[in-house]
Amino acid sequence: MPPHLAPKKAKKRAEGASSNVFSMFEQAQIQEFKEAFTIMDQNRDGFIDKNDLRDTFAALGRLNVKQEEIDDMLKEAPGPVNFTVFLTMFGEKLKGADPEETILNAFKVFDPEGKGTLKKDFVTEMLTTQADRFSPEEMEQMFAAFPPDVAGNLDYKNLVYVITHGEEKDQE
């Protein structure tokens, strides 16, 4: 093979390998995904597996996750879930995604019954102990803007609407 073709071919392979998932996100976003990955990689082996997912759900208060649900999540990956695969999967899910729907789906993970509300105490626990932790002042501001009902439930659908639209939905 003529030598002038080899670099081109190698270059093409490199480009194909990096239909670069890292270029889809800003550096700060990649850092946040890395933090999330690290939290989920409970055994710190560089891969997210069944046990990591089960432990992550348990840490979030969901103890009765069916094995089938965990298997289905892992089936979405083309192979073992390392950070690049994790980022690629999120990239595919977020591509063209409606920000409102994306944020709602994040809340729905913690609301398997689909009530549309989460307990104030649970939201406080999550936001003050995981990843980018909220300060007590930030929690106070959020609950001042989005007060829970008398039973202590936070209407996350309304919260997400305001986050993405900047105003409250008219209550019908």
Side-chain angles (χ1 to χ4, degrees):
M1 162 192 328
H4 68 279
L5 289 180
K8 215 180 222 173
K9 196 172 197 179
K11 185 177 184 237
K12 187 170 189 180
R13 191 175 301 129
E15 282 172 10
S18 69
S19 50
N20 196 345
V21 66
F22 292 93
S23 66
M24 289 175 60
F25 300 105
E26 293 170 26
Q27 199 56 48
Q29 290 173 303
I30 292 172
Q31 189 54 44
E32 287 181 17
F33 280 120
K34 186 68 178 168
E35 284 178 29
F37 180 86
T38 303
I39 290 169
M40 293 174 74
D41 181 17
Q42 299 272 323
N43 63 8
R44 301 291 180 257
D45 65 353
F47 294 90
I48 294 175
D49 60 22
K50 291 178 187 188
N51 293 333
D52 290 328
L53 284 177
R54 183 167 300 290
D55 291 347
T56 299
F57 275 118
L60 297 172
R62 275 194 67 195
L63 303 173
N64 57 348
V65 181
K66 293 184 184 79
Q67 189 58 49
E68 180 187 354
E69 192 177 346
I70 288 175
D71 291 342
D72 288 347
M73 287 179 176
L74 289 172
K75 276 184 204 154
E76 289 184 36
V81 182
N82 62 17
F83 181 62
T84 306
V85 170
F86 180 80
L87 198 60
T88 303
M89 290 171 74
F90 269 95
E92 288 168 0
K93 290 228 183 281
L94 296 174
K95 205 183 296 172
D98 170 19
E100 182 175 10
E101 189 181 333
T102 302
I103 299 169
L104 268 176
N105 287 337
F107 277 105
K108 285 178 185 170
V109 169
F110 306 111
D111 181 24
E113 291 91 40
K115 294 178 187 161
T117 61
L118 295 172
K119 288 280 177 211
K120 175 187 181 205
D121 296 344
F122 175 76
V123 173
T124 302
E125 169 78 9
M126 286 288 88
L127 294 178
T128 57
T129 63
Q130 304 294 319
D132 283 341
R133 296 178 172 95
F134 276 46
S135 68
E137 295 76 31
E138 289 170 318
M139 292 307 304
E140 219 173 275
Q141 289 170 352
M142 186 181 86
F143 289 128
F146 302 98
D149 64 18
V150 289
N153 294 310
L154 179 71
D155 176 357
Y156 68 81
K157 290 181 177 177
N158 187 42
L159 173 67
V160 170
Y161 186 87
V162 175
I163 290 170
T164 54
H165 294 85
E167 59 196 48
E168 280 201 54
K169 226 187 282 193
D170 293 330
Q171 300 294 325
E172 280 96 51

